[in-house]
Amino acid sequence: MGIGGISIWQLLIILAIIVLIFGTKKLKNMGGDIGGAVKGFKKAMSDEDAKHGDNPDAITQSAQNKVNETEKEKDKV
């Protein structure tokens, strides 16, 4: 019994069908793209933490300030 009632054999069959449909080259490219996106997201998060000195209160305050600015802009329109 695997994940949610799906056996390992069923997962292997699904994987084989996906490889047949997309091909290994396209799957490799998609994996690289997803990996790059995750890496960029992590970098942006660490840059934001470094910007605020790893101070959760400063990050929360910064986020609240952005929300307030957005609400003010909506009120102007």
Side-chain angles (χ1 to χ4, degrees):
M1 188 68 63
I3 302 170
I6 299 175
S7 73
I8 188 72
W9 292 110
Q10 291 168 331
L11 290 174
L12 288 174
I13 291 170
I14 292 170
L15 178 64
I17 292 170
I18 290 172
V19 169
L20 287 173
I21 291 173
F22 293 109
T24 56
K25 187 175 182 179
K26 190 167 186 175
L27 289 175
K28 182 180 176 185
N29 290 340
M30 287 172 38
D33 291 343
I34 291 170
V38 170
K39 184 185 260 187
F41 177 76
K42 286 183 179 180
K43 184 179 183 302
M45 293 301 293
S46 65
D47 289 349
E48 187 71 20
D49 288 346
K51 180 179 170 184
H52 294 291
D54 293 332
N55 183 352
D57 293 332
I59 295 170
T60 304
Q61 185 61 37
S62 174
Q64 185 61 43
N65 289 342
K66 289 180 182 178
V67 168
N68 290 341
E69 290 173 5
T70 305
E71 289 176 353
K72 287 179 184 177
E73 289 176 9
K74 286 181 182 178
D75 289 341
K76 288 180 182 178
V77 176

